[in-house]
């Protein structure tokens, strides 16, 4: 089988007349997503680069990509499974982050289907081999982006371990700025997160194992509130896993979050079947030069990374992220755009 890294990174477009998305087979990366505002004016609402070269050269802080085999942090890059100890690359000292140095975001996926029409879609496939970035067993992964209506984007991710149990937890790492990718910071956006709890972390951003109520803290977004209103109480900004335990359900998905930008009136509602969501306010983005020469600074985008809980492989009380041969990992996200 040809090494996937020899395949050519390309850009593909999905367009249904009102939403337009550009996505690459390099890391299943959304590089651009144009959405109308209250007056019908289109703006690109995701951070990224004009060409694929900066992504390939490592200039991207995970803009727009799918991360895996395991999203988020694994403590000290170590875990034990079935009595065997595994050691992962420490790419975010002292931890392993988002699958390691060459995670799913830094490989070229196969394009297995690209459909135009009323519900345009594209399906990517990647086969992760046993021992890749330290993880056990071969895993076959697919990701399908579909414009399911004039205002919705759906992502369906599936993974099947072929021969060994392995942790699997994928996340979509798009940085959103509903005013437009080049419009400054997201501190005026408001957000509602359908979570009564989060998983607090130690000084190395690893969960302590506790499930903490958000009520009465700066982390409480159970009612919609401005992101900037309490951010100064949480260190560098938000970078926390919320326990999605109180959202409405539809089509087997739970309402995770609602984000609103007052300047354009754009609204994003996110639905998912994942148990957690990392709410990240771009705290480490610092002078990245993006599309059209825009300088992206701190807090210039926000991420809504639905996921298994961070370090779940080392936390027996967290929902398990281990998938065995014969089982299938399934993770879906529905992004609904509107104006209010």
């Amino acid at each position: 089988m040809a090494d996937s890294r020899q395949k050519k990174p390309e850009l593909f477009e999905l367009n249904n007349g009102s939403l337009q998305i550009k996505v690459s087979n390099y890391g299943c990366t959304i590089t651009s997503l144009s959405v109308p505002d209250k007056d019908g004016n289109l703006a690109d609402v995701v951070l990224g680069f004009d060409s694929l070269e900066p992504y390939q050269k490592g200039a991207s802080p995970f803009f727009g990509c799918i991360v895996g085999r395991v999203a988020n942090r694994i403590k000290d890059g170590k875990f034990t499974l079935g009595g065997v100890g595994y050691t992962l690359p420490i790419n975010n000292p002292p931890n392993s982050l988002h699958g390691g140095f060459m995670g799913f975001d830094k490989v070229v996926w196969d394009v297995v289907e690209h459909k135009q029409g009323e519900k345009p879609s594209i399906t990517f496939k990647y086969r992760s081999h046993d021992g890749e970035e330290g993880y056990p067993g071969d895993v076959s992964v697919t990701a399908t982006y579909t414009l399911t209506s004039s205002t919705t984007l759906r992502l369906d991710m599936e993974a099947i371990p072929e021969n060994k149990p392995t942790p699997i937890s994928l996340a979509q790492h798009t940085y959103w700025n509903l005013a437009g990718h080049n419009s400054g910071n997201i501190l005026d956006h408001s957000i509602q997160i359908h979570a009564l709890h989060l998983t607090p972390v130690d000084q190395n951003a690893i969960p302590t194992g506790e499930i903490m109520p958000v009520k009465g803290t700066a982390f409480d977004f159970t009612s919609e509130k401005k992101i900037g209103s309490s951010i100064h109480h949480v260190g560098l900004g938000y970078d926390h896993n919320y326990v999605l335990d109180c959202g409405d359900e539809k089509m087997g998905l739970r309402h995770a979050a609602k984000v609103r930008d007052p300047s354009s009136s754009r609204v994003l509602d996110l639905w998912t079947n994942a148990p957690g969501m990392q709410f990240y306010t771009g705290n480490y983005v610092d002078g990245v030069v993006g599309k059209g020469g825009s300088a992206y600074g701190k807090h210039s985008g926000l991420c809504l990374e639905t996921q298994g809980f961070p370090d779940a492989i080392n936390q027996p009380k967290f929902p398990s992220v281990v998938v065995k041969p014969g089982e299938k990992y399934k993770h879906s996200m529905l992004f609904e755009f509107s104006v209010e």
Side-chain angles (χ1 to χ4, degrees):
M1 184 182 148
D3 183 354
S4 70
R5 292 174 183 83
Q6 304 310 312
K7 291 194 288 263
K8 197 165 133 255
E10 294 177 73
L11 268 179
F12 303 88
E13 190 178 305
L14 301 177
N15 192 337
N16 61 6
S18 53
L19 289 181
Q20 183 193 0
I21 165 178
K22 287 184 183 155
V23 57
S24 176
N25 56 342
Y26 185 79
C28 294
T29 302
I30 296 173
T31 64
S32 141
L33 200 165
S34 295
V35 186
D37 69 1
K38 57 184 184 294
D39 303 315
N41 299 314
L42 286 177
D44 182 353
V45 296
V46 304
L47 273 55
F49 301 101
D50 288 316
S51 72
L52 291 175
E53 197 181 12
Y55 298 96
Q56 294 171 263
K57 289 193 164 163
S60 171
F62 301 103
F63 286 160
C65 57
I66 289 178
V67 294
R69 181 177 306 192
V70 175
N72 217 296
R73 293 170 181 89
I74 292 178
K75 184 179 180 172
D76 299 330
K78 288 187 166 68
F79 67 91
T80 302
L81 188 56
V84 181
Y86 293 93
T87 304
L88 311 172
I90 307 296
N91 61 324
N92 184 253
N95 307 310
S96 191
L97 175 69
H98 291 332
F101 288 110
M102 284 289 282
F104 292 0
D105 63 302
K106 293 183 181 69
V107 294
V108 180
W109 296 48
D110 287 312
V111 180
V112 289
E113 191 172 49
H114 185 194
K115 290 198 291 218
Q116 308 296 350
E118 202 177 309
K119 294 188 176 179
S121 69
I122 189 162
T123 299
F124 299 106
K125 185 169 189 177
Y126 178 65
R127 192 159 177 273
S128 174
H129 59 81
D130 183 28
E132 184 174 324
E133 296 296 292
Y135 288 95
D138 299 307
V139 178
S140 180
V141 193
T142 59
T144 301
Y145 291 102
T146 310
L147 298 182
T148 49
S149 82
S150 62
T151 54
T152 55
L153 165 67
R154 184 177 172 118
L155 169 59
D156 294 292
M157 296 173 273
E158 293 190 351
I160 300 171
E162 296 175 14
N163 36 38
K164 289 182 187 175
T166 178
I168 301 174
S169 175
L170 308 183
Q172 216 299 340
H173 209 300
T174 290
Y175 288 71
W176 302 95
N177 187 324
L178 297 180
H181 74 96
N182 54 353
S183 63
N185 68 49
I186 45 78
L187 299 179
D188 275 342
H189 283 46
S190 59
I191 190 168
Q192 180 179 20
I193 300 175
H194 296 283
L196 298 169
H197 301 84
L198 57 67
T199 51
V201 293
D202 66 15
Q203 72 280 7
N204 293 322
I206 291 291
T208 60
E210 157 194 19
I211 306 279
M212 181 187 97
V214 295
K215 195 178 160 82
T217 71
F219 298 101
D220 188 350
F221 291 98
T222 46
S223 303
E224 188 178 315
K225 85 172 184 199
K226 212 160 107 166
I227 291 171
S229 62
S230 315
I231 198 167
H232 49 284
H233 293 305
V234 295
L236 292 170
Y238 295 96
D239 190 8
H240 295 79
N241 173 62
Y242 281 77
V243 179
L244 300 175
D245 53 10
C246 64
D248 295 338
E249 288 203 25
K250 71 169 179 192
M251 302 184 302
L253 303 180
R254 207 183 273 135
H255 200 181
K258 174 182 186 169
V259 184
R260 183 202 306 267
D261 163 50
S263 66
S264 66
S265 300
R266 287 189 190 92
V267 172
L268 167 58
D269 281 282
L270 172 60
W271 301 72
T272 186
N273 60 353
M277 182 186 80
Q278 192 81 3
F279 173 46
Y280 174 53
T281 47
N283 313 327
Y284 301 105
V285 178
D286 180 19
V288 178
V289 179
K291 288 177 277 196
S294 319
Y296 301 142
K298 191 177 181 184
H299 308 316
S300 50
L302 64 93
C303 301
L304 307 167
E305 307 159 56
T306 63
Q307 61 181 5
F309 293 3
D311 198 35
I313 190 69
N314 291 313
Q315 293 282 359
K317 289 185 179 151
F318 286 1
S320 175
V321 292
V322 175
V323 188
K324 301 181 182 78
E327 299 174 344
K328 184 186 276 191
Y329 167 90
K330 288 180 136 173
H331 179 182
S332 294
M333 303 173 80
L334 190 69
F335 303 91
E336 288 186 318
F337 299 95
S338 57
V339 288
E340 271 182 22

